Structures are given as C-alpha cells and as structure tokens.
Amino acid sequence: MNVSEAIRQFFASLPARAASVLNSPIGGTLQIDLADGNRTEHWYLTLAPGSAQVSQEEQRQADGVLTLSTELFEKLVTGREAGMAAVLRNEATFSGHVVLFLAFRRFLPARPDVRDPRDAAREHVRRLA
C-alpha cells in the first residue's frame, strides 16, 4: 500500500504538535487502520498529556481502533472532510475508548467552510441589534 505524502507528513508532525494539542489528562494507544482494497496499513498513535508517539510496529493491544479508507483519511488530514461526520455517516468506524478518538480529532485541521458556532451566534446577535 502506498500512502500519500500528506498522510506521512501528518503522522510525522504529531509528536511536535502534541504539546499544544494534548493538554488534558489523556492516555492510551489508538490504532488507525487504513484500508485500500484488500490491504490494510496499521498506524499506532500512543497519546499522553503533551505527548504523541507514532509507530507502525504492531502493538500488543490498542485502547481504540479507527478504521477507514486511505482516501478518506487523506481527506481528514488535509481538512477536506470532518472525522466525526465520517464516523456518523458510517464511512469510518471506531471502537474502544472514545476519548482517544476525540483527542485525535484535535490534530485534524478544520474544514475551510466550518465556522465556530459561537462566532455565528455573535454575528446573528449583532445583525439583530
């Protein structure tokens, strides 16, 4: 399987970004299974407060497993798709400790067309005034 450069760069960036992204008491290993046809590539992300370690070496037991296509994962890491929306549409599946998935989502870029609902509400109030 050949993952894109965007996916490789995303995984390579996680350890350096962890200090600013993971400031809550989180801990565990998230297994990310990228499926492409009949092949699956496994990535392991071990999260701790302020720390993220990435490996492709098989881990004994993951605390959570995210399974999706390589194509969808590339869309997630480039901000063209939202992780929670993909799970809700059943395009991706997650099992295990949901807190790991929620923490992982914080590493993903926001879609360009997504606005913070608080900003939208403030704008609406200003228009009414």
Side-chain angles (χ1 to χ4, degrees):
M1 176 183 298
N2 214 359
V3 298
S4 71
E5 187 59 28
I7 292 174
R8 291 198 186 285
Q9 287 179 359
F10 172 77
F11 280 121
S13 75
L14 296 182
R17 296 173 48 213
S20 64
V21 173
L22 298 175
N23 49 17
S24 62
I26 181 89
T29 299
L30 174 63
Q31 177 178 325
I32 301 171
D33 291 342
L34 302 179
D36 189 8
N38 60 354
R39 297 200 53 205
T40 301
E41 187 168 303
H42 307 285
W43 292 79
Y44 299 90
L45 180 57
T46 303
L47 304 175
S51 169
Q53 297 176 339
V54 178
S55 172
Q56 283 195 278
E57 293 181 25
E58 192 167 334
Q59 307 287 315
R60 291 175 60 207
Q61 181 74 15
D63 302 300
V65 179
L66 175 64
T67 304
L68 65 166
S69 71
T70 303
E71 179 183 355
L72 176 57
F73 193 71
E74 183 171 341
K75 289 178 182 177
L76 293 179
V77 303
T78 57
R80 294 178 290 152
E81 188 61 70
M84 185 61 77
V87 170
L88 293 174
R89 286 192 309 267
N90 207 29
E91 294 174 351
T93 60
F94 181 80
S95 63
H97 297 285
V98 72
V99 172
L100 291 173
F101 175 65
L102 297 175
F104 172 72
R105 284 185 334 143
R106 296 169 66 195
F107 284 103
L108 299 172
R111 288 181 43 167
D113 59 344
V114 174
R115 295 178 45 200
D116 186 321
R118 294 170 293 193
D119 293 338
R122 287 183 197 110
E123 186 177 306
H124 178 73
V125 168
R126 274 187 237 127
R127 281 194 305 245
L128 292 176

